[in-house]
Amino acid sequence: QVQLVESGGGSVQAGGSLRLSCAVFGYTYSTYCMGWFRQAPGKEREGVAVIIYTGGGSTYYADSVKGRFTISQDNAKNTLYLQMNSLKPEDTAMYYCVADFRAACKKLPPGASNFGYWGQGTQVTVSS
């Protein structure tokens, strides 16, 4: 059974940084998509950053975070990361780690319905 457990959220002032971590348990697919979505109050879930792995890896970033956020993974630790720099108040949201192995997860921009595995979420609050 796949489990995704996020950590690293918190409160920070604008311009600050945070690193989110996602520990992955029970996921053994050789091709997959893993990444981060976020949801702010009153808004739909948004794909922030995704790694698409099919032998070689490619990454996707939402335009709103390009140049500020970096997604990475440590296979030895079965952990996914999201380094968030130059944070803005509009980055305030609940952040979710996601994963899937179906072909649909490779569609861009990433859609929430194409990811079957979700973590419980970690809150990020950026104050001005």
Side-chain angles (χ1 to χ4, degrees):
Q1 184 172 348
V2 177
Q3 274 191 305
L4 307 174
V5 181
E6 302 102 330
S7 61
S11 297
V12 66
Q13 288 192 327
S17 298
L18 285 172
R19 188 177 80 158
L20 306 183
S21 298
C22 173
V24 182
F25 302 94
Y27 200 84
T28 60
Y29 299 100
S30 58
T31 62
Y32 54 83
C33 307
M34 297 187 70
W36 298 89
F37 275 67
R38 67 185 180 186
Q39 187 169 26
K43 295 188 177 181
E44 292 187 355
R45 290 186 176 184
E46 172 192 24
V48 175
V50 174
I51 292 176
I52 300 171
Y53 187 78
T54 55
S58 61
T59 56
Y60 162 89
Y61 292 97
D63 287 343
S64 57
V65 305
K66 280 181 181 177
R68 301 188 298 121
F69 290 12
T70 302
I71 188 171
S72 62
Q73 60 184 111
D74 185 331
N75 290 329
K77 296 181 179 180
N78 291 328
T79 302
L80 186 72
Y81 301 100
L82 184 68
Q83 178 66 44
M84 305 184 295
N85 298 329
S86 302
L87 282 162
K88 304 176 181 180
E90 51 263 44
D91 295 318
T92 295
M94 185 71 79
Y95 284 71
Y96 298 91
C97 179
V98 299
D100 208 295
F101 61 92
R102 298 168 295 173
C105 76
K106 302 180 182 66
K107 293 180 181 178
L108 297 177
S113 62
N114 292 331
F115 287 83
Y117 300 106
W118 291 72
Q120 81 284 357
T122 185
Q123 179 68 36
V124 171
T125 302
V126 184
S127 58
S128 57

